[in-house]
Amino acid sequence: MPNHRIALIPGDGIGTEVLPAARQVLDTVAARHGITFAYDEFDWSCERYLREGSMMPDDGLAQIKDHDAILLGAVGFPGVPNHVSLWGLLIPIRRSFRQYVNLRPVRVFEGVASPLRNAAPGEVDFVVVRENVEGEYSEIGGRMNRGFPDEMAVQEAVFTRAGINRVLDYAFGLAARRGGRLTSATKSNGIVHTLPFWDELVNERAQYHPKVVWDQEHIDALAAKFVLEPSRYDVVVGSNLFGDILSDLAAAVAGSIGIAPAANLNPEREFPSMFEPVHGSAPDIAGRGIANPLGAIWSASMMLDHLGHPAAAADITDAIAAVLAKTSARTPDLGGSAGTAEFTEKLLELL
C-alpha cells in the first residue's frame, strides 16, 4: 500500500506543465527516502467549465476528501471570469476542507537577482501567514439596481474570534519555531471595526506565546518596508486580503513570482491540505514549454514536510538552492532560455 495518496489537479494554462515536473521531483526524492505515492489526477479546470458548465463535478469534494494531500497547478484562463474559476474550484476546496492557513515562504536565493539592491541571499527569509477562509473574501453581499445609474455593490468583511484566533496561534507557533519574531498587518487607523478587533485578538493571543517578540504595522507602511527593509521580517500574519497582497509583493522581492510556493493548510489534519504555486495559469506563455517549475516543485516540498517527511522536503529545497547557485540553467522569467523540461532535468541531476 502507498504511504500517501495524492490528488493531482493540473488545472489551467501552465499548471498542466509545471505539475508533471513537481511529480518527477517528488518521485525521485520519494525513492531515496522510502516513501511511496499513489496519484489520482482530476481534469477540473476552465476547459471543463466551458465543456460541461462547472469547474468540477457536484461530488468533486467527496472524491478528494480522503486523500492525504492535494497538489494543484493553476486556476484561471481567458473566456472564464476569474470569480467563476476561483469560486468554482479553489475557494470551495479551501473552505470545505477548513484550510484556514495560507502559508507562503519568501526567500532570496543565491543566483537570483532581487530587484531590490538591499535584498541579499541569506538575509531575506520570511513567511507570510494569511488567514485563508474569511475576512474580506466573504460570501456575504450582493448587487442591486444592475444597469441603472444608482447601481450598487455591497461586500461584507467577516472577522470572527474563532477564525482570527486559530490563524494567530498558528502564526505565533511558527514564529516560536523560527526566529521568534512576528509582525501583524493591520489598518486599524482607518478601518474602524474589523481591524481594531484583529489588533485586540493579536494582543490577547500574544500572552500565550511569551517567547515571541511581536509588533504590528499598518498595511501601507508594511508594504513600503517590505521594499525598503525586507530582511527585518520573520513571520508576518495578516487577514485574507492583506496576506494575499503582501505575499505577492514578497514574491516579487525574491526575484520572480515563478519561484513562489503556497500551502493551504488544515492544521488539525481533519481534511487534506492543498499545495500550489503562486504564479497562476499564465495564459500568455501556456503551451510554450517555458514555464518556471520551481513554484510547483517548492510547493511539493512543502507537501512532503506537512506529510511528515522533513528530510525529503529539505532535499528538494537544497536542490532548488543548488540549481540556482551552481548552474546557469534559467527559465525566461529568470533571464535564461531553458525550457521547463530542461530546467527540471538539471534539478533532477542535482538531486
Side-chain angles (χ1 to χ4, degrees):
M1 294 292 291
N3 283 39
H4 303 292
R5 187 178 174 206
I6 309 300
L8 296 177
I9 307 176
D12 301 303
I14 63 171
T16 62
E17 302 170 43
V18 298
L19 215 57
R23 180 173 171 177
Q24 280 184 278
V25 173
L26 269 176
D27 289 340
T28 299
V29 172
R32 175 186 299 168
H33 289 268
I35 306 164
T36 56
F37 291 109
Y39 300 100
D40 296 311
E41 186 165 327
F42 300 87
D43 70 341
W44 304 344
S45 61
C46 289
E47 183 178 351
R48 185 190 191 279
Y49 176 84
L50 293 172
R51 185 177 68 245
E52 301 188 33
S54 63
M55 295 290 294
M56 62 178 172
D58 292 341
D59 66 344
L61 295 173
Q63 291 184 37
I64 60 175
K65 71 179 179 65
D66 293 323
H67 286 73
D68 294 301
I70 305 158
L71 194 57
L72 176 79
V75 177
F77 215 70
V80 178
N82 287 333
H83 68 277
V84 171
S85 58
L86 289 176
W87 284 88
L89 180 59
L90 190 64
I91 292 177
I93 292 174
R94 287 175 174 173
R95 297 191 173 186
S96 297
F97 294 157
R98 301 181 75 82
Q99 297 169 352
Y100 60 84
V101 171
N102 185 270
L103 196 65
R104 296 190 179 185
V106 179
R107 178 177 168 187
V108 174
F109 287 96
E110 183 180 350
V112 177
S114 168
L116 306 181
R117 62 179 179 269
N118 60 339
E123 295 181 8
V124 177
D125 185 352
F126 64 94
V127 180
V128 176
V129 178
R130 167 191 175 191
E131 197 290 314
N132 207 34
V133 297
E134 53 177 51
E136 302 88 348
Y137 295 178
S138 84
E139 298 176 64
I140 300 173
R143 299 272 293 273
M144 289 181 62
N145 303 326
R146 292 173 185 262
F148 291 98
D150 58 347
E151 184 173 2
M152 63 179 288
V154 175
Q155 181 79 41
E156 298 284 355
V158 175
F159 286 69
T160 67
R161 178 177 288 271
I164 298 171
N165 280 347
R166 64 190 181 184
V167 77
L168 291 178
D169 283 337
Y170 184 91
F172 272 109
L174 179 62
R177 297 189 298 273
R178 285 176 51 94
R181 293 179 292 114
L182 180 137
T183 300
S184 170
T186 186
K187 189 58 181 172
S188 50
N189 60 343
I191 300 176
V192 69
H193 297 302
T194 55
L195 273 304
F197 181 47
W198 173 280
D199 293 350
E200 291 167 16
L201 295 184
V202 174
N203 186 63
E204 285 183 17
R205 301 317 295 174
Q207 312 309 311
Y208 296 92
H209 304 273
K211 295 183 179 180
V212 176
V213 177
W214 69 278
D215 63 358
Q216 64 184 40
E217 295 272 6
H218 290 134
I219 184 67
D220 42 358
L222 183 56
K225 290 177 182 178
F226 264 27
V227 174
L228 296 173
E229 304 176 80
S231 62
R232 70 178 287 179
Y233 297 103
D234 179 28
V235 174
V236 179
V237 63
S239 68
N240 210 330
L241 178 62
F242 290 176
D244 194 4
I245 294 170
L246 286 174
S247 55
D248 278 18
L249 172 60
V253 166
S256 172
I257 201 170
I259 294 176
N264 303 276
L265 300 178
N266 172 244
E268 294 79 13
R269 301 171 189 269
E270 297 171 330
F271 301 98
S273 293
M274 179 168 61
F275 302 83
E276 56 174 326
V278 173
H279 54 58
S281 60
D284 56 323
I285 62 168
R288 296 168 58 189
I290 60 172
N292 187 341
L294 285 184
I297 292 169
W298 194 353
S299 298
S301 171
M302 296 178 74
M303 183 182 77
L304 275 171
D305 189 61
H306 176 74
L307 292 173
H309 307 289
D315 279 357
I316 294 179
T317 52
D318 288 348
I320 291 173
V323 76
L324 294 172
K326 299 179 180 179
T327 80
S328 60
R330 298 286 187 277
T331 45
D333 63 303
L334 297 176
S337 58
T340 308
E342 178 187 348
F343 189 77
T344 303
E345 284 301 320
K346 182 61 68 174
L347 188 141
L348 289 170
E349 288 175 18
L350 292 169
L351 278 173

